Amino acid sequence: LYQCTTCKDCERRCPSKVKVVDVVERARRDLVDADIVLPAHRKVVENIKKYGNPYGDERPVAEVFGEKPHKARLGYFVGCTSAYRNQSTAKATISILRKLGEDYTLLDESCCGSVMGRVGWSEGDVVAQMERNVRSIADQGVEEVIFSCAGCYRMFKEEYPKHLDVPFKVRHVSEFLADRNIKLSTLDKKVTYHDPCHLGRHSQVYKAPRDVLSKVPGASFKEMPRNSSEARCCGGGGGVRSAFPDLSEQIAAKRVMEADFADVLVTTCPFCVNNLRVGKDRSQSKVEIKDLVELIDALM
């Protein structure tokens, strides 16, 4: 039951429109209620409750980047993985906001609650994370929040409104950049794009990342055989990476092999970046794995 990445590809194909992900997560919640919890998942949740992030880091997110949360029109929700593991993604996003001259702030954020929900943790604990974040962001007077993490974005867009009022606009950074007139240097490389499951099938954001890539002069863009709603999962979601790393790597390797024709494989989620890089090593592929914001920041 815990080997499902909750990628939602089965739902896409199901002729009866069964909400398979909801069924899986409900079954997982029954297991958690019975105190049948995988050790890796228990540790992650304990860290979130104690430190506000799954990695057990005691530093607030803004402090990691030497900034202090303040009142501003635009807020950047960094997310745990970009804050404590894939800092190049967060630094690139911050750099882009500065180059665009945006009135932005980092947020007094805690874990969005996605990982807790995916592994079946109690709804009460997940909603508590939601309430803490919405209250904190509202207190900073933020009108719009952008996300570089597909999982965090999906939570705020799809899950938070089921439980509480979200008094600000939420957009993925690819949607934010698609609306901007940005001038970029030439990139003479073959580029392809991997759709994160949480951004694509879960949140229906397919066009924006491709619109941003179309702004890159000189880049030769080509889709992988499986793309958009049919994109293969990277294998990093649903708690699979933490509990079944070998299975997760196998899935990632198969996905990376589909991009062997390209010089650069771009995606828009730190979990996907991490897992695809593991898959690259496993498959011995030569393709370069990059987050969209890292690519755009380097070309600005």
Side-chain angles (χ1 to χ4, degrees), residues 235-256:
V240 175
R241 178 67 193 164
S242 58
F244 302 97
D246 188 64
L247 172 62
S248 183
E249 289 176 18
Q250 290 178 42
I251 298 171
K254 289 180 180 179
R255 183 55 169 164
V256 172

Side-chain angles (χ1 to χ4, degrees), residues 267-298:
T267 189
T268 45
C269 173
F271 275 99
C272 292
V273 170
N274 281 352
N275 220 43
L276 290 172
R277 284 176 177 167
V278 172
K280 171 186 172 176
D281 293 341
R282 187 170 182 133
S283 65
Q284 298 184 320
S285 172
K286 293 182 180 179
V287 68
E288 184 180 8
I289 315 291
K290 271 192 173 292
D291 194 286
L292 179 65
V293 288
E294 294 178 66
L295 179 70
I296 296 304
D297 182 49

Side-chain angles (χ1 to χ4, degrees), residues 152-298:
C152 296
Y153 169 74
R154 181 220 174 220
M155 282 295 287
F156 274 80
K157 181 183 179 182
E158 304 292 336
E159 298 294 326
Y160 276 49
K162 295 177 183 178
H163 301 279
L164 62 163
D165 178 52
V166 179
F168 41 79
K169 184 177 181 179
V170 299
R171 284 204 290 177
H172 188 264
V173 68
S174 62
E175 297 175 299
F176 175 81
L177 291 174
D179 288 343
R180 294 294 186 278
N181 182 21
I182 49 179
K183 295 182 179 180
L184 304 172
S185 303
T186 299
L187 180 71
D188 186 22
K189 290 185 177 181
K190 298 175 184 176
V191 178
T192 193
Y193 175 70
H194 165 76
D195 292 271
C197 301
H198 281 167
L199 189 63
R201 279 186 293 271
H202 280 273
S203 301
Q204 300 299 304
V205 177
Y206 298 110
K207 188 173 181 291
R210 291 169 171 83
D211 285 348
V212 176
L213 288 172
S214 72
K215 298 175 188 284
V216 180
S220 174
F221 180 79
K222 181 181 177 182
E223 295 279 11
M224 282 184 274
R226 301 186 190 188
N227 63 79
S228 301
S229 64
E230 298 179 5
R232 176 177 260 163
C233 178
C234 80
V240 175
R241 178 67 193 164
S242 58
F244 302 97
D246 188 64
L247 172 62
S248 183
E249 289 176 18
Q250 290 178 42
I251 298 171
K254 289 180 180 179
R255 183 55 169 164
V256 172
M257 287 169 66
E258 291 187 272
D260 262 357
F261 62 86
D263 299 310
V264 186
L265 171 55
V266 178
T267 189
T268 45
C269 173
F271 275 99
C272 292
V273 170
N274 281 352
N275 220 43
L276 290 172
R277 284 176 177 167
V278 172
K280 171 186 172 176
D281 293 341
R282 187 170 182 133
S283 65
Q284 298 184 320
S285 172
K286 293 182 180 179
V287 68
E288 184 180 8
I289 315 291
K290 271 192 173 292
D291 194 286
L292 179 65
V293 288
E294 294 178 66
L295 179 70
I296 296 304
D297 182 49

Side-chain angles (χ1 to χ4, degrees), residues 23-264:
V23 174
V24 168
E25 292 184 353
R26 176 67 257 191
R28 289 176 175 180
R29 200 180 304 163
D30 288 344
L31 288 175
V32 172
D33 288 345
D35 200 32
I36 302 171
V37 183
L38 295 177
H41 293 163
R42 188 184 297 277
K43 180 62 176 176
V44 162
V45 174
E46 286 175 352
N47 282 338
I48 292 171
K49 287 184 171 183
K50 185 175 181 179
Y51 302 106
N53 66 82
Y55 303 111
D57 198 303
E58 297 183 14
R59 298 170 297 169
V61 170
E63 184 180 301
V64 173
F65 301 98
E67 297 202 15
K68 186 176 181 179
H70 58 274
K71 290 187 179 296
R73 186 198 72 80
L74 183 70
Y76 170 35
F77 193 96
V78 178
C80 303
T81 300
S82 293
Y84 303 108
R85 291 295 182 270
N86 287 41
Q87 292 186 3
S88 58
T89 298
K91 289 176 180 177
T93 305
I94 292 168
S95 175
I96 289 170
L97 293 175
R98 289 173 176 170
K99 289 173 181 176
L100 292 174
E102 291 288 342
D103 172 29
Y104 83 94
T105 180
L106 296 192
L107 302 167
D108 177 21
E109 68 180 76
S110 184
C111 177
C112 69
S114 179
V115 66
M116 300 171 82
R118 304 296 71 78
V119 303
W121 214 259
S122 73
E123 189 174 89
D125 285 341
V126 178
V127 172
Q129 290 297 123
M130 295 179 180
E131 291 173 341
R132 192 261 184 218
N133 279 318
V134 168
R135 182 171 59 250
S136 174
I137 294 169
D139 286 347
Q140 287 182 237
V142 170
E143 299 173 14
E144 179 180 353
V145 179
I146 62 169
F147 303 81
S148 56
C149 176
C152 296
Y153 169 74
R154 181 220 174 220
M155 282 295 287
F156 274 80
K157 181 183 179 182
E158 304 292 336
E159 298 294 326
Y160 276 49
K162 295 177 183 178
H163 301 279
L164 62 163
D165 178 52
V166 179
F168 41 79
K169 184 177 181 179
V170 299
R171 284 204 290 177
H172 188 264
V173 68
S174 62
E175 297 175 299
F176 175 81
L177 291 174
D179 288 343
R180 294 294 186 278
N181 182 21
I182 49 179
K183 295 182 179 180
L184 304 172
S185 303
T186 299
L187 180 71
D188 186 22
K189 290 185 177 181
K190 298 175 184 176
V191 178
T192 193
Y193 175 70
H194 165 76
D195 292 271
C197 301
H198 281 167
L199 189 63
R201 279 186 293 271
H202 280 273
S203 301
Q204 300 299 304
V205 177
Y206 298 110
K207 188 173 181 291
R210 291 169 171 83
D211 285 348
V212 176
L213 288 172
S214 72
K215 298 175 188 284
V216 180
S220 174
F221 180 79
K222 181 181 177 182
E223 295 279 11
M224 282 184 274
R226 301 186 190 188
N227 63 79
S228 301
S229 64
E230 298 179 5
R232 176 177 260 163
C233 178
C234 80
V240 175
R241 178 67 193 164
S242 58
F244 302 97
D246 188 64
L247 172 62
S248 183
E249 289 176 18
Q250 290 178 42
I251 298 171
K254 289 180 180 179
R255 183 55 169 164
V256 172
M257 287 169 66
E258 291 187 272
D260 262 357
F261 62 86
D263 299 310
V264 186

